[in-house]
Amino acid sequence: MENVNVWADAFGVWHASVPLSGSRHRDAMRARKLIVDAIAERSGPSFDPSRVRVTRESITGHGTVKYREV
């Protein structure tokens, strides 16, 4: 089972944690997809996924990397 997690903090900023793959780009795109999917599930038809950007937040001690929406 993969260690994947998506959540919004108290300020409404979305975060995603994905397993390290060895490719920063692949990790960022996977985290972005998880965040976009979570936002789209809760948004109306005016949601524009092309406006979602992510930035690397931290690498955890258990083999995952965290990204956050900017």
Side-chain angles (χ1 to χ4, degrees), residues 48-68:
D48 181 5
S50 69
R51 299 186 57 141
V52 176
R53 303 284 184 262
V54 297
T55 188
R56 191 175 202 167
E57 191 171 11
S58 64
I59 296 176
T60 68
H62 51 84
T64 60
V65 59
K66 291 194 312 189
Y67 284 83
R68 68 178 170 83

Side-chain angles (χ1 to χ4, degrees), residues 5-70:
N5 197 7
V6 181
W7 70 97
D9 63 21
F11 301 102
V13 177
W14 284 90
H15 303 261
S17 175
V18 297
L20 286 165
S21 71
S23 167
R24 286 184 98 166
H25 179 74
R26 187 178 309 124
D27 295 344
M29 291 302 98
R30 185 157 186 216
R32 182 185 177 282
K33 182 183 180 334
L34 291 168
I35 290 171
V36 164
D37 289 351
I39 295 171
E41 185 177 306
R42 293 160 178 80
S43 297
S46 64
F47 171 64
D48 181 5
S50 69
R51 299 186 57 141
V52 176
R53 303 284 184 262
V54 297
T55 188
R56 191 175 202 167
E57 191 171 11
S58 64
I59 296 176
T60 68
H62 51 84
T64 60
V65 59
K66 291 194 312 189
Y67 284 83
R68 68 178 170 83
E69 172 192 18
V70 286

